[in-house]
Amino acid sequence: MIVCIGAGPGDTGYLTQRGAELIRNADVVAGFDAVLNVVRDLIPANAQVIGMGYRDQVAQLDKVALEHHAGKRCVVVFMGDIHFSGFQYLERVERACGHPVESLPGISSAQILASRARVCFDETTFITFHRRGDLTPFKRHLVRVLEDQRNAIVIPCPWDEARSFMPWHIAAYLMEQGIPAHHPVEVWENLTRGEAEWHGTLAECAEHRCSDMSIMLIRTLAPMASQIEPAP
C-alpha cells in the first residue's frame, strides 16, 4: 500500500482525521524534511522515516517504492493539498512506483486564504508558480485572469534568485503587462500562525519583501455583485 497525503499548510490542526490515521498506522513515512517535521508527533516510533530534499528526491522515492513493493504500508506526505502545488511531486512518486497511487486531499493555504480574505472560489482563479519547468504560460494566464475581472490567488516561486518569482517580481511583471499599478494586492505569510497580512497596491507590492512562506491575493477591480435575493 502507498498513499500520498496532503498534510495541510504547516499545522496538524488542518490535517484530516483520515490522513492522521494513515500516518499513525504506517510502516514507512516519507516526504520533504520540512513536511515530515510538521507530522513528526504522529509518526510511529517503529516506522521507517525517509526524508528528502529537492536534490535527492528521485533517489529517496525509489527507496519508498522498494518498501511499497515489499508489502509495507507507505505514506508520502505533502504540504497543503497534493493537487494545488504538489502534482509534479505526485508524478515522481508514481514514476518511482511504476503505477498510479492513491491520494488523499488536504487543506491548502489557498483554501485558508480564501476563507480569511472572504473571497469565493467561483469568482477566483488559483495559479501556482511553485513548479519546475517554463513559467511563461502561467504568467500569461495570470494576466488574462485579471483582465477578465477575476480575483487571483497566487503561490509564488521561492527557488534560487535566477528562477524565483516572488510577490515583488509578480507585481512588477503584471505592471509591465499593462495591469494597473493601483490594483489591490494582499500578501499573507504563515497563515496558520495568526500573523498579520500585508495590504497595498501592485506598485507598493513591487517594493515589498516577504518570506518564502507567502501567498498572494490579487483582487479584481470590479467585484461581482451579490446574487442573493435582496434583504427584506
Side-chain angles (χ1 to χ4, degrees):
M1 178 202 82
I2 184 166
V3 182
C4 293
I5 295 175
D11 185 330
T12 53
Y14 294 90
L15 174 65
T16 66
Q17 292 186 44
R18 175 61 176 156
E21 178 186 6
L22 286 168
I23 294 171
R24 291 190 184 102
N25 292 311
D27 300 312
V28 178
V29 180
F32 282 89
D33 295 327
V35 188
L36 290 175
N37 288 337
V38 173
V39 300
R40 188 73 62 180
D41 291 344
L42 300 174
I43 300 175
N46 61 344
Q48 179 183 357
V49 178
I50 301 178
M52 63 196 72
Y54 286 111
R55 295 181 184 276
D56 66 347
Q57 58 182 303
V58 172
Q60 295 298 86
L61 287 174
D62 285 342
K63 294 179 183 178
V64 179
L66 285 174
E67 300 298 335
H68 158 58
H69 289 301
K72 299 287 184 66
R73 292 169 296 185
C74 300
V75 167
V76 182
V77 186
F78 291 58
M79 193 69 84
D81 185 287
I82 298 164
H83 301 278
F84 274 70
S85 282
F87 200 73
Q88 289 180 322
Y89 188 41
L90 174 62
E91 290 179 318
R92 289 190 177 93
V93 174
E94 294 186 331
R95 184 171 61 188
C97 292
H99 59 77
V101 303
E102 181 183 349
S103 62
L104 180 68
I107 297 175
S108 71
S109 57
Q111 292 167 297
I112 296 176
L113 172 57
S115 176
R116 294 197 175 180
R118 298 182 62 81
V119 293
C120 173
F121 265 111
D122 288 352
E123 303 162 16
T124 304
T125 296
F126 170 79
I127 299 174
T128 178
F129 294 109
H130 195 278
R131 57 185 298 121
R132 300 287 181 180
D134 185 10
L135 298 180
T136 303
F138 302 92
K139 292 179 180 180
R140 289 198 299 260
H141 182 44
L142 175 57
V143 173
R144 290 194 295 269
V145 163
L146 297 175
E147 290 175 341
D148 287 344
Q149 301 296 336
R150 290 180 61 81
N151 304 307
I153 291 177
V154 183
I155 293 183
C157 177
W159 290 322
D160 60 88
E161 187 61 31
R163 193 182 186 313
S164 64
F165 198 49
M166 291 295 284
W168 57 94
H169 300 128
I170 295 169
Y173 168 79
L174 289 173
M175 289 189 292
E176 290 169 1
Q177 301 303 309
I179 301 299
H182 62 277
H183 228 290
V185 180
E186 298 167 27
V187 178
W188 295 65
E189 299 182 74
N190 299 315
L191 278 169
T192 61
R193 300 180 189 172
E195 296 184 13
E197 69 275 18
W198 177 89
H199 296 255
T201 63
L202 279 180
E204 292 167 335
C205 186
E207 304 299 325
H208 176 68
R209 297 297 181 267
C210 54
S211 73
D212 289 356
M213 298 292 291
S214 61
I215 184 170
M216 297 177 73
L217 170 63
I218 309 173
R219 291 186 184 270
T220 177
L221 290 175
M224 184 179 292
S226 172
Q227 296 180 344
I228 65 172
E229 66 279 0

